[in-house]
Amino acid sequence: MESRKQNKPFYKNTKILFLLGGLITVVVLLFFLSGDDGSHFFKITTTQDSTSVKKDNASPDEYNKIVDGIHLRTGLVEADGLMTVVNNCTNCHSSKLIVQNRMDEERWKATIKWMQETQNLWDLGENEQIIIDYLVTNYPPEEKGRRPNLENIEWYQLN
């Protein structure tokens, strides 16, 4: 009992220091969370100005520029219906999917129907036939088959 009475001022001073430290911590946190104007405590500020973000340095003319019959932005062939395809297809997927998948009209229609049923593709309305015509004309199936027979071969003897 005697030692506890002797340590009482120590405990009292420790308690005061602890409370004072907690108070200082709270004030510092509120200062940093208050924002620049200090009008409210939990305002999240950003230093990025939305007008300073440049999405694309290209001018509108360069954005849809076509060189040697190829739409530079997408790599699609310039033809009737190009922009309909760009506006409806490349919103969801890369134009590379179009270029690498060569199909006939029936398969393009089936692919569009599959996208509508499973991938939330919207009803294309009158644009569907424009898109299919463009795809069939510019991305038809490629003829595949066996390589041609070898001709005019100079055969040699194996040793």
Side-chain angles (χ1 to χ4, degrees):
M1 283 304 261
E2 193 71 29
S3 66
R4 195 164 196 182
K5 281 186 178 180
Q6 290 175 349
N7 290 334
K8 193 170 185 177
F10 173 75
Y11 289 122
K12 186 177 178 182
N13 289 339
T14 304
K15 189 176 178 182
I16 289 171
L17 286 174
F18 183 74
L19 290 174
L20 193 59
L23 182 63
I24 290 171
T25 302
V26 169
V27 169
V28 168
L29 284 174
L30 290 176
F31 175 77
F32 284 113
L33 294 175
S34 65
D36 294 338
D37 59 355
S39 62
H40 52 282
F41 288 119
F42 297 105
K43 179 181 176 184
I44 298 173
T45 59
T46 60
T47 57
Q48 186 177 16
D49 181 13
S50 63
T51 59
S52 67
V53 176
K54 292 184 177 181
K55 293 182 178 178
D56 195 348
N57 291 333
S59 69
D61 291 337
E62 292 178 1
Y63 191 68
N64 285 321
K65 192 172 183 178
I66 294 173
V67 175
D68 296 330
I70 301 295
H71 185 241
L72 291 182
R73 181 168 50 99
T74 60
L76 296 173
V77 173
E78 177 190 25
D80 288 340
L82 169 64
M83 293 315 295
T84 304
V85 170
V86 169
N87 292 333
N88 285 281
C89 301
T90 61
N91 283 328
C92 299
H93 60 73
S94 169
S95 58
K96 291 179 181 177
L97 280 175
I98 298 169
V99 174
Q100 72 185 13
N101 289 301
R102 295 177 165 269
M103 298 182 244
D104 60 14
E105 183 170 350
E106 184 180 315
R107 296 271 326 272
W108 281 118
K109 282 182 180 178
T111 302
I112 289 171
K113 185 176 180 183
W114 173 82
M115 287 188 283
Q116 289 172 331
E117 291 174 353
T118 63
Q119 308 297 312
N120 294 327
L121 174 62
W122 54 86
D123 180 20
L124 296 170
E126 62 189 32
N127 287 335
E128 183 170 331
Q129 193 58 49
I130 296 169
I131 292 168
I132 290 172
D133 289 344
Y134 173 86
L135 295 173
V136 168
T137 303
N138 298 293
Y139 300 99
E142 290 182 334
E143 295 289 329
K144 291 184 179 179
R146 297 181 56 137
R147 65 173 172 75
N149 293 331
L150 300 174
E151 298 175 359
N152 301 327
I153 305 288
E154 292 183 28
W155 298 102
Y156 58 92
Q157 292 287 330
L158 295 175
N159 294 328

